[in-house]
């Protein structure tokens, strides 16, 4: 679904009967130790992880790398994760704060065909990699992130805040929304929050891991 500007708008619905851990609402289907918190710069990831009492320090995972789901970084949860993503005509994955992305964001487009999706469970005793992690996407609207980053810039705590462009932040939010939809359709656990302590929401579309239009790479 798109808005009048052509930007992706995720169809969302709040989870029912959320459970609270340290004052943070979570989906009842999610275990504390599954949580991976991600989203664009300035979206509130650190706030959510700190409130949960999660693992300190940020992790990085390249989703175009075969077997990323076995990365040792993901063994420590809950934690904040930065994602390396494949973009059209870019040989290397980029995070949304990498200099190459910040310089070329207006022309860069996510390349879903190079995203690696974990394999389905192959036996009752096998690991269900698609359900092992619960991705919590922090996706406030771009205007909220702009305001929060401008306030943060005055404190001088994050070098990325030296240059704040509204359209660039819109692109970061939309790229994360695209990724959330792709992972959801692949049958992975995905929730979206508009603020760090907001009630999580589900994507209100049935996962389509086996649909003919799914062109993300399989292992």
């Amino acid at each position: 679904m798109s808005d009048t500007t052509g930007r992706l708008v995720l169809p969302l619905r709040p989870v029912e009967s959320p459970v609270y851990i340290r004052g943070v609402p979570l989906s009842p289907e999610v275990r504390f130790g599954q949580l991976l918190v991600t989203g664009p710069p300035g979206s509130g990831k650190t706030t959510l992880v700190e409130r949960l009492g999660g693992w300190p320090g940020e992790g990085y995972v390249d989703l175009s790398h075969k077997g990323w789901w076995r990365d040792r970084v993901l063994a420590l949860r809950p934690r904040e994760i930065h994602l390396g993503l494949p973009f059209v005509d870019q040989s290397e994955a980029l995070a949304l704060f990498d200099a190459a992305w910040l310089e070329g964001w207006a022309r860069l487009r996510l390349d879903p065909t190079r995203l690696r999706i974990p394999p389905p469970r192959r036996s009752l005793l096998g690991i269900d990699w698609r359900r092992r992690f619960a991705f919590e996407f922090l996706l406030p609207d771009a205007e909220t992130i702009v305001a929060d980053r401008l306030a943060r810039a005055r404190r001088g705590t994050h070098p990325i805040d030296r240059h704040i462009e509204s359209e660039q932040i819109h692109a970061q939010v939309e790229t994360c929304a695209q990724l959330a939809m792709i992972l959801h359709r692949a049958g992975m656990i995905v929730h979206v929050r508009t603020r760090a302590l907001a009630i999580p929401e589900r994507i209100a579309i049935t996962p389509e891991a086996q649909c003919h239009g799914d062109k993300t790479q399989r292992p």
Side-chain angles (χ1 to χ4, degrees), residues 50-105:
E50 288 180 349
R51 184 67 176 266
L52 285 167
W55 190 264
E58 304 164 348
Y60 173 83
V61 176
D62 179 351
L63 295 192
S64 68
H65 186 267
K66 185 176 181 179
W68 61 258
W69 45 91
R70 294 186 178 90
D71 196 304
R72 287 184 296 177
V73 166
L74 300 179
L76 306 170
R77 306 183 298 269
R79 77 176 307 173
E80 177 180 348
I81 293 291
H82 296 293
L83 302 176
L85 303 176
F87 291 90
V88 176
D89 296 329
Q90 295 292 307
S91 60
E92 300 292 332
L94 300 175
L96 298 182
F97 56 79
D98 283 340
W101 191 91
L102 295 173
E103 293 169 3
W105 67 269

Short mmCIF file of all heavy atoms in Angstrom, two decimals, residues 50-105:
data_model
loop_
_atom_site.label_atom_id
_atom_site.label_comp_id
_atom_site.label_asym_id
_atom_site.label_seq_id
_atom_site.Cartn_x
_atom_site.Cartn_y
_atom_site.Cartn_z
N GLU A 50 17.50 -0.34 26.22
CA GLU A 50 17.87 0.01 27.59
C GLU A 50 16.70 -0.19 28.55
O GLU A 50 16.88 -0.65 29.68
CB GLU A 50 18.37 1.45 27.64
CG GLU A 50 19.74 1.63 26.99
CD GLU A 50 20.23 3.07 27.05
OE1 GLU A 50 19.41 3.96 27.40
OE2 GLU A 50 21.42 3.30 26.74
N ARG A 51 15.51 0.17 28.12
CA ARG A 51 14.33 -0.01 28.98
C ARG A 51 14.08 -1.50 29.26
O ARG A 51 13.69 -1.88 30.36
CB ARG A 51 13.12 0.64 28.32
CG ARG A 51 11.85 0.60 29.17
CD ARG A 51 11.99 1.47 30.42
NE ARG A 51 10.75 1.50 31.16
CZ ARG A 51 9.81 2.45 31.03
NH1 ARG A 51 10.01 3.46 30.17
NH2 ARG A 51 8.71 2.41 31.73
N LEU A 52 14.33 -2.33 28.27
CA LEU A 52 14.16 -3.77 28.44
C LEU A 52 15.27 -4.38 29.29
O LEU A 52 15.13 -5.51 29.77
CB LEU A 52 14.15 -4.46 27.07
CG LEU A 52 12.87 -4.33 26.23
CD1 LEU A 52 13.14 -4.78 24.80
CD2 LEU A 52 11.74 -5.13 26.85
N GLY A 53 16.37 -3.65 29.45
CA GLY A 53 17.52 -4.23 30.13
C GLY A 53 18.23 -5.23 29.25
O GLY A 53 18.77 -6.24 29.73
N GLY A 54 18.25 -4.94 27.94
CA GLY A 54 18.86 -5.85 26.98
C GLY A 54 20.37 -5.74 26.93
O GLY A 54 20.99 -5.05 27.74
N TRP A 55 20.95 -6.43 25.96
CA TRP A 55 22.40 -6.49 25.83
C TRP A 55 22.95 -5.12 25.41
O TRP A 55 22.50 -4.56 24.42
CB TRP A 55 22.79 -7.55 24.81
CG TRP A 55 24.24 -7.84 24.80
CD1 TRP A 55 25.18 -7.31 23.95
CD2 TRP A 55 24.95 -8.70 25.68
NE1 TRP A 55 26.42 -7.79 24.25
CE2 TRP A 55 26.32 -8.65 25.31
CE3 TRP A 55 24.57 -9.51 26.75
CZ2 TRP A 55 27.29 -9.39 25.97
CZ3 TRP A 55 25.54 -10.24 27.41
CH2 TRP A 55 26.87 -10.18 27.03
N PRO A 56 23.92 -4.57 26.14
CA PRO A 56 24.48 -3.28 25.76
C PRO A 56 25.36 -3.39 24.51
O PRO A 56 25.96 -4.44 24.26
CB PRO A 56 25.31 -2.87 26.98
CG PRO A 56 25.70 -4.19 27.62
CD PRO A 56 24.54 -5.11 27.38
N GLY A 57 25.41 -2.35 23.76
CA GLY A 57 26.22 -2.37 22.55
C GLY A 57 25.42 -2.78 21.34
O GLY A 57 24.53 -3.63 21.41
N GLU A 58 25.74 -2.15 20.21
CA GLU A 58 25.00 -2.40 18.98
C GLU A 58 25.65 -3.55 18.21
O GLU A 58 26.86 -3.72 18.23
CB GLU A 58 25.00 -1.13 18.12
CG GLU A 58 24.43 0.08 18.86
CD GLU A 58 24.77 1.38 18.18
OE1 GLU A 58 25.63 1.36 17.27
OE2 GLU A 58 24.19 2.41 18.55
N GLY A 59 24.82 -4.32 17.51
CA GLY A 59 25.32 -5.38 16.64
C GLY A 59 25.10 -5.01 15.19
O GLY A 59 24.36 -4.09 14.86
N TYR A 60 25.78 -5.75 14.31
CA TYR A 60 25.63 -5.52 12.87
C TYR A 60 25.52 -6.88 12.18
O TYR A 60 26.30 -7.80 12.46
CB TYR A 60 26.83 -4.76 12.30
CG TYR A 60 26.80 -4.63 10.79
CD1 TYR A 60 26.07 -3.64 10.16
CD2 TYR A 60 27.50 -5.55 9.99
CE1 TYR A 60 26.03 -3.54 8.77
CE2 TYR A 60 27.46 -5.46 8.61
CZ TYR A 60 26.72 -4.46 8.01
OH TYR A 60 26.68 -4.37 6.64
N VAL A 61 24.54 -7.00 11.28
CA VAL A 61 24.33 -8.23 10.52
C VAL A 61 24.06 -7.86 9.07
O VAL A 61 23.22 -7.01 8.78
CB VAL A 61 23.16 -9.05 11.08
CG1 VAL A 61 22.91 -10.28 10.22
CG2 VAL A 61 23.43 -9.47 12.51
N ASP A 62 24.75 -8.54 8.16
CA ASP A 62 24.57 -8.33 6.72
C ASP A 62 23.53 -9.33 6.22
O ASP A 62 23.79 -10.54 6.15
CB ASP A 62 25.92 -8.55 6.01
CG ASP A 62 25.83 -8.38 4.50
OD1 ASP A 62 24.72 -8.26 3.96
OD2 ASP A 62 26.90 -8.39 3.86
N LEU A 63 22.33 -8.85 5.88
CA LEU A 63 21.25 -9.73 5.48
C LEU A 63 21.42 -10.29 4.06
O LEU A 63 20.60 -11.10 3.62
CB LEU A 63 19.90 -9.01 5.57
CG LEU A 63 19.45 -8.58 6.97
CD1 LEU A 63 17.99 -8.15 6.94
CD2 LEU A 63 19.64 -9.68 8.00
N SER A 64 22.45 -9.87 3.37
CA SER A 64 22.75 -10.46 2.06
C SER A 64 23.78 -11.59 2.17
O SER A 64 24.11 -12.23 1.17
CB SER A 64 23.26 -9.40 1.08
OG SER A 64 24.55 -8.93 1.46
N HIS A 65 24.25 -11.83 3.38
CA HIS A 65 25.30 -12.83 3.60
C HIS A 65 24.65 -14.18 3.91
O HIS A 65 23.76 -14.28 4.77
CB HIS A 65 26.18 -12.41 4.77
CG HIS A 65 27.37 -13.31 4.98
ND1 HIS A 65 27.34 -14.38 5.84
CD2 HIS A 65 28.61 -13.31 4.42
CE1 HIS A 65 28.51 -14.99 5.82
NE2 HIS A 65 29.29 -14.37 4.97
N LYS A 66 25.09 -15.22 3.23
CA LYS A 66 24.54 -16.55 3.45
C LYS A 66 24.77 -17.00 4.89
O LYS A 66 25.87 -16.93 5.41
CB LYS A 66 25.20 -17.55 2.49
CG LYS A 66 24.60 -18.96 2.56
CD LYS A 66 25.24 -19.87 1.52
CE LYS A 66 24.62 -21.26 1.58
NZ LYS A 66 25.23 -22.16 0.56
N GLY A 67 23.69 -17.43 5.53
CA GLY A 67 23.80 -17.94 6.89
C GLY A 67 23.87 -16.87 7.96
O GLY A 67 24.29 -17.15 9.09
N TRP A 68 23.44 -15.64 7.65
CA TRP A 68 23.52 -14.56 8.65
C TRP A 68 22.80 -14.93 9.94
O TRP A 68 23.16 -14.42 11.01
CB TRP A 68 22.97 -13.25 8.08
CG TRP A 68 21.52 -13.26 7.66
CD1 TRP A 68 21.03 -13.36 6.40
CD2 TRP A 68 20.36 -13.15 8.52
NE1 TRP A 68 19.65 -13.32 6.39
CE2 TRP A 68 19.23 -13.20 7.69
CE3 TRP A 68 20.18 -13.03 9.89
CZ2 TRP A 68 17.93 -13.13 8.19
CZ3 TRP A 68 18.87 -12.96 10.40
CH2 TRP A 68 17.77 -13.00 9.55
N TRP A 69 21.80 -15.77 9.87
CA TRP A 69 21.02 -16.13 11.05
C TRP A 69 21.82 -16.93 12.07
O TRP A 69 21.38 -17.12 13.20
CB TRP A 69 19.77 -16.90 10.63
CG TRP A 69 20.01 -17.97 9.62
CD1 TRP A 69 20.31 -19.29 9.85
CD2 TRP A 69 20.01 -17.80 8.19
NE1 TRP A 69 20.49 -19.95 8.67
CE2 TRP A 69 20.30 -19.07 7.62
CE3 TRP A 69 19.80 -16.73 7.35
CZ2 TRP A 69 20.38 -19.28 6.25
CZ3 TRP A 69 19.87 -16.94 5.99
CH2 TRP A 69 20.14 -18.19 5.43
N ARG A 70 23.02 -17.39 11.67
CA ARG A 70 23.90 -18.10 12.62
C ARG A 70 24.99 -17.19 13.19
O ARG A 70 25.84 -17.65 13.93
CB ARG A 70 24.56 -19.29 11.92
CG ARG A 70 23.59 -20.39 11.50
CD ARG A 70 24.36 -21.59 10.96
NE ARG A 70 23.47 -22.68 10.59
CZ ARG A 70 22.93 -22.84 9.40
NH1 ARG A 70 23.20 -21.95 8.44
NH2 ARG A 70 22.14 -23.85 9.13
N ASP A 71 24.96 -15.93 12.84
CA ASP A 71 25.99 -14.99 13.30
C ASP A 71 26.00 -14.93 14.83
O ASP A 71 24.95 -14.85 15.48
CB ASP A 71 25.70 -13.60 12.73
CG ASP A 71 26.90 -12.67 12.84
OD1 ASP A 71 27.41 -12.49 13.97
OD2 ASP A 71 27.31 -12.11 11.82
N ARG A 72 27.19 -14.96 15.41
CA ARG A 72 27.32 -14.94 16.87
C ARG A 72 26.74 -13.68 17.49
O ARG A 72 26.34 -13.67 18.66
CB ARG A 72 28.79 -15.10 17.27
CG ARG A 72 29.33 -16.52 17.07
CD ARG A 72 30.75 -16.64 17.56
NE ARG A 72 31.66 -15.80 16.80
CZ ARG A 72 32.96 -15.67 17.07
NH1 ARG A 72 33.48 -16.32 18.11
NH2 ARG A 72 33.72 -14.90 16.32
N VAL A 73 26.70 -12.59 16.72
CA VAL A 73 26.11 -11.34 17.22
C VAL A 73 24.67 -11.56 17.67
O VAL A 73 24.20 -10.96 18.64
CB VAL A 73 26.18 -10.25 16.12
CG1 VAL A 73 25.29 -9.07 16.47
CG2 VAL A 73 27.62 -9.80 15.92
N LEU A 74 23.96 -12.46 16.98
CA LEU A 74 22.54 -12.68 17.26
C LEU A 74 22.31 -13.58 18.47
O LEU A 74 21.16 -13.78 18.87
CB LEU A 74 21.86 -13.26 16.03
CG LEU A 74 21.93 -12.40 14.77
CD1 LEU A 74 21.23 -13.09 13.62
CD2 LEU A 74 21.30 -11.03 15.02
N ALA A 75 23.37 -14.13 19.02
CA ALA A 75 23.21 -14.98 20.20
C ALA A 75 22.91 -14.17 21.45
O ALA A 75 22.45 -14.71 22.46
CB ALA A 75 24.47 -15.81 20.41
N LEU A 76 23.15 -12.86 21.39
CA LEU A 76 22.98 -11.99 22.56
C LEU A 76 21.73 -11.15 22.34
O LEU A 76 21.71 -10.22 21.55
CB LEU A 76 24.21 -11.11 22.74
CG LEU A 76 25.54 -11.87 22.81
CD1 LEU A 76 26.71 -10.90 22.75
CD2 LEU A 76 25.60 -12.71 24.08
N ARG A 77 20.66 -11.48 23.07
CA ARG A 77 19.38 -10.83 22.86
C ARG A 77 18.69 -10.62 24.20
O ARG A 77 18.92 -11.39 25.13
CB ARG A 77 18.47 -11.70 21.96
CG ARG A 77 19.11 -12.10 20.64
CD ARG A 77 18.15 -12.89 19.75
NE ARG A 77 17.71 -14.15 20.34
CZ ARG A 77 18.30 -15.31 20.17
NH1 ARG A 77 19.39 -15.40 19.45
NH2 ARG A 77 17.84 -16.40 20.72
N PRO A 78 17.86 -9.57 24.29
CA PRO A 78 17.52 -8.55 23.30
C PRO A 78 18.71 -7.63 23.04
O PRO A 78 19.51 -7.37 23.93
CB PRO A 78 16.39 -7.76 23.95
CG PRO A 78 15.93 -8.56 25.10
CD PRO A 78 17.11 -9.37 25.54
N ARG A 79 18.77 -7.11 21.82
CA ARG A 79 19.81 -6.15 21.52
C ARG A 79 19.43 -5.33 20.29
O ARG A 79 18.55 -5.70 19.52
CB ARG A 79 21.16 -6.83 21.32
CG ARG A 79 21.36 -7.51 20.00
CD ARG A 79 22.77 -8.07 19.89
NE ARG A 79 23.79 -7.05 20.16
CZ ARG A 79 25.08 -7.30 20.26
NH1 ARG A 79 25.52 -8.54 20.13
NH2 ARG A 79 25.95 -6.33 20.48
N GLU A 80 20.15 -4.23 20.15
CA GLU A 80 19.96 -3.35 19.00
C GLU A 80 20.82 -3.85 17.86
O GLU A 80 22.01 -4.11 18.02
CB GLU A 80 20.37 -1.92 19.38
CG GLU A 80 20.29 -0.92 18.26
CD GLU A 80 20.71 0.47 18.71
OE1 GLU A 80 20.84 0.70 19.94
OE2 GLU A 80 20.90 1.34 17.83
N ILE A 81 20.20 -3.99 16.68
CA ILE A 81 20.88 -4.53 15.51
C ILE A 81 20.81 -3.54 14.35
O ILE A 81 19.74 -3.05 14.00
CB ILE A 81 20.24 -5.87 15.07
CG1 ILE A 81 20.46 -6.94 16.12
CG2 ILE A 81 20.78 -6.32 13.73
CD1 ILE A 81 21.88 -7.41 16.26
N HIS A 82 21.98 -3.25 13.79
CA HIS A 82 22.04 -2.50 12.54
C HIS A 82 22.15 -3.51 11.40
O HIS A 82 22.89 -4.50 11.50
CB HIS A 82 23.24 -1.55 12.53
CG HIS A 82 23.14 -0.50 13.57
ND1 HIS A 82 22.18 0.50 13.54
CD2 HIS A 82 23.86 -0.29 14.71
CE1 HIS A 82 22.34 1.28 14.58
NE2 HIS A 82 23.33 0.82 15.31
N LEU A 83 21.44 -3.26 10.32
CA LEU A 83 21.35 -4.23 9.25
C LEU A 83 22.09 -3.75 8.00
O LEU A 83 21.90 -2.62 7.55
CB LEU A 83 19.88 -4.49 8.91
CG LEU A 83 19.04 -5.01 10.08
CD1 LEU A 83 17.59 -5.14 9.66
CD2 LEU A 83 19.58 -6.34 10.61
N GLY A 84 22.92 -4.62 7.46
CA GLY A 84 23.52 -4.38 6.16
C GLY A 84 22.56 -4.87 5.08
O GLY A 84 22.09 -6.01 5.13
N LEU A 85 22.23 -4.01 4.12
CA LEU A 85 21.21 -4.33 3.12
C LEU A 85 21.79 -4.22 1.72
O LEU A 85 22.63 -3.36 1.44
CB LEU A 85 20.03 -3.35 3.25
CG LEU A 85 19.35 -3.30 4.62
CD1 LEU A 85 18.28 -2.22 4.63
CD2 LEU A 85 18.77 -4.65 4.99
N PRO A 86 21.31 -5.09 0.81
CA PRO A 86 21.78 -5.01 -0.58
C PRO A 86 20.97 -3.96 -1.36
O PRO A 86 19.75 -3.88 -1.24
CB PRO A 86 21.49 -6.42 -1.11
CG PRO A 86 20.29 -6.87 -0.33
CD PRO A 86 20.44 -6.25 1.04
N PHE A 87 21.68 -3.18 -2.15
CA PHE A 87 21.03 -2.18 -2.99
C PHE A 87 21.42 -2.42 -4.44
O PHE A 87 22.50 -2.95 -4.74
CB PHE A 87 21.43 -0.77 -2.55
CG PHE A 87 20.86 -0.39 -1.22
CD1 PHE A 87 21.57 -0.66 -0.04
CD2 PHE A 87 19.61 0.20 -1.12
CE1 PHE A 87 21.04 -0.33 1.19
CE2 PHE A 87 19.07 0.52 0.11
CZ PHE A 87 19.79 0.27 1.28
N VAL A 88 20.52 -2.06 -5.34
CA VAL A 88 20.75 -2.26 -6.77
C VAL A 88 22.04 -1.56 -7.19
O VAL A 88 22.30 -0.40 -6.81
CB VAL A 88 19.56 -1.71 -7.58
CG1 VAL A 88 19.83 -1.82 -9.09
CG2 VAL A 88 18.27 -2.46 -7.21
N ASP A 89 22.87 -2.27 -7.95
CA ASP A 89 24.13 -1.76 -8.50
C ASP A 89 25.18 -1.47 -7.43
O ASP A 89 26.16 -0.76 -7.70
CB ASP A 89 23.91 -0.50 -9.35
CG ASP A 89 23.07 -0.78 -10.58
OD1 ASP A 89 23.14 -1.91 -11.10
OD2 ASP A 89 22.32 0.12 -11.01
N GLN A 90 25.00 -2.00 -6.22
CA GLN A 90 26.01 -1.89 -5.17
C GLN A 90 26.52 -3.28 -4.84
O GLN A 90 25.74 -4.17 -4.49
CB GLN A 90 25.41 -1.25 -3.92
CG GLN A 90 24.96 0.19 -4.10
CD GLN A 90 26.13 1.14 -4.31
OE1 GLN A 90 27.07 1.17 -3.53
NE2 GLN A 90 26.06 1.91 -5.38
N SER A 91 27.82 -3.48 -4.94
CA SER A 91 28.37 -4.82 -4.70
C SER A 91 28.38 -5.20 -3.23
O SER A 91 28.27 -6.37 -2.89
CB SER A 91 29.80 -4.90 -5.26
OG SER A 91 30.65 -3.93 -4.65
N GLU A 92 28.50 -4.20 -2.36
CA GLU A 92 28.56 -4.46 -0.93
C GLU A 92 27.26 -4.02 -0.26
O GLU A 92 26.62 -3.05 -0.68
CB GLU A 92 29.73 -3.71 -0.30
CG GLU A 92 31.09 -4.08 -0.86
CD GLU A 92 31.50 -5.50 -0.51
OE1 GLU A 92 31.06 -5.99 0.54
OE2 GLU A 92 32.26 -6.10 -1.29
N ALA A 93 26.88 -4.73 0.80
CA ALA A 93 25.72 -4.33 1.59
C ALA A 93 26.02 -3.02 2.31
O ALA A 93 27.17 -2.74 2.68
CB ALA A 93 25.36 -5.42 2.59
N LEU A 94 25.00 -2.22 2.51
CA LEU A 94 25.15 -0.93 3.18
C LEU A 94 24.16 -0.82 4.34
O LEU A 94 23.00 -1.23 4.22
CB LEU A 94 24.89 0.22 2.20
CG LEU A 94 25.79 0.32 0.96
CD1 LEU A 94 25.29 1.43 0.05
CD2 LEU A 94 27.23 0.55 1.37
N ALA A 95 24.63 -0.25 5.44
CA ALA A 95 23.72 0.16 6.51
C ALA A 95 23.24 1.57 6.20
O ALA A 95 23.87 2.31 5.43
CB ALA A 95 24.44 0.13 7.86
N LEU A 96 22.14 1.97 6.79
CA LEU A 96 21.54 3.26 6.47
C LEU A 96 22.28 4.45 7.07
O LEU A 96 21.86 5.59 6.88
CB LEU A 96 20.08 3.28 6.91
CG LEU A 96 19.17 2.25 6.23
CD1 LEU A 96 17.74 2.39 6.71
CD2 LEU A 96 19.25 2.38 4.71
N PHE A 97 23.40 4.17 7.75
CA PHE A 97 24.24 5.26 8.23
C PHE A 97 25.61 5.24 7.56
O PHE A 97 26.47 6.09 7.85
CB PHE A 97 24.41 5.19 9.75
CG PHE A 97 24.96 3.88 10.24
CD1 PHE A 97 26.31 3.58 10.16
CD2 PHE A 97 24.11 2.93 10.77
CE1 PHE A 97 26.81 2.36 10.59
CE2 PHE A 97 24.60 1.70 11.21
CZ PHE A 97 25.94 1.41 11.12
N ASP A 98 25.85 4.27 6.66
CA ASP A 98 27.13 4.21 5.95
C ASP A 98 27.28 5.43 5.05
O ASP A 98 26.30 5.91 4.46
CB ASP A 98 27.21 2.94 5.11
CG ASP A 98 27.53 1.71 5.94
OD1 ASP A 98 28.03 1.87 7.06
OD2 ASP A 98 27.26 0.58 5.47
N ALA A 99 28.52 5.89 4.89
CA ALA A 99 28.77 7.07 4.07
C ALA A 99 28.25 6.88 2.64
O ALA A 99 27.68 7.81 2.05
CB ALA A 99 30.26 7.38 4.05
N ALA A 100 28.42 5.67 2.09
CA ALA A 100 27.98 5.43 0.71
C ALA A 100 26.47 5.55 0.58
O ALA A 100 25.96 6.04 -0.44
CB ALA A 100 28.44 4.05 0.25
N TRP A 101 25.74 5.11 1.60
CA TRP A 101 24.27 5.26 1.54
C TRP A 101 23.89 6.73 1.73
O TRP A 101 23.03 7.26 1.02
CB TRP A 101 23.57 4.40 2.59
CG TRP A 101 22.08 4.35 2.33
CD1 TRP A 101 21.41 3.44 1.58
CD2 TRP A 101 21.10 5.30 2.78
NE1 TRP A 101 20.07 3.76 1.52
CE2 TRP A 101 19.86 4.89 2.26
CE3 TRP A 101 21.14 6.44 3.58
CZ2 TRP A 101 18.67 5.58 2.51
CZ3 TRP A 101 19.97 7.15 3.83
CH2 TRP A 101 18.75 6.73 3.30
N LEU A 102 24.51 7.40 2.69
CA LEU A 102 24.16 8.79 2.96
C LEU A 102 24.47 9.69 1.76
O LEU A 102 23.77 10.68 1.54
CB LEU A 102 24.92 9.28 4.20
CG LEU A 102 24.54 8.59 5.52
CD1 LEU A 102 25.48 9.05 6.63
CD2 LEU A 102 23.09 8.87 5.90
N GLU A 103 25.48 9.33 1.00
CA GLU A 103 25.81 10.12 -0.18
C GLU A 103 24.93 9.79 -1.38
O GLU A 103 24.64 10.66 -2.20
CB GLU A 103 27.28 9.89 -0.55
CG GLU A 103 28.27 10.45 0.47
CD GLU A 103 29.69 10.00 0.22
OE1 GLU A 103 29.91 9.29 -0.80
OE2 GLU A 103 30.57 10.32 1.05
N GLY A 104 24.49 8.53 -1.48
CA GLY A 104 23.75 8.13 -2.68
C GLY A 104 22.30 7.76 -2.46
O GLY A 104 21.66 7.18 -3.33
N TRP A 105 21.75 8.12 -1.30
CA TRP A 105 20.42 7.64 -0.91
C TRP A 105 19.33 7.95 -1.94
O TRP A 105 18.38 7.17 -2.11
CB TRP A 105 20.02 8.24 0.45
CG TRP A 105 19.81 9.73 0.41
CD1 TRP A 105 20.74 10.69 0.66
CD2 TRP A 105 18.59 10.40 0.10
NE1 TRP A 105 20.19 11.94 0.52
CE2 TRP A 105 18.86 11.79 0.18
CE3 TRP A 105 17.31 10.00 -0.24
CZ2 TRP A 105 17.90 12.76 -0.08
CZ3 TRP A 105 16.33 10.96 -0.50
CH2 TRP A 105 16.63 12.32 -0.41
#
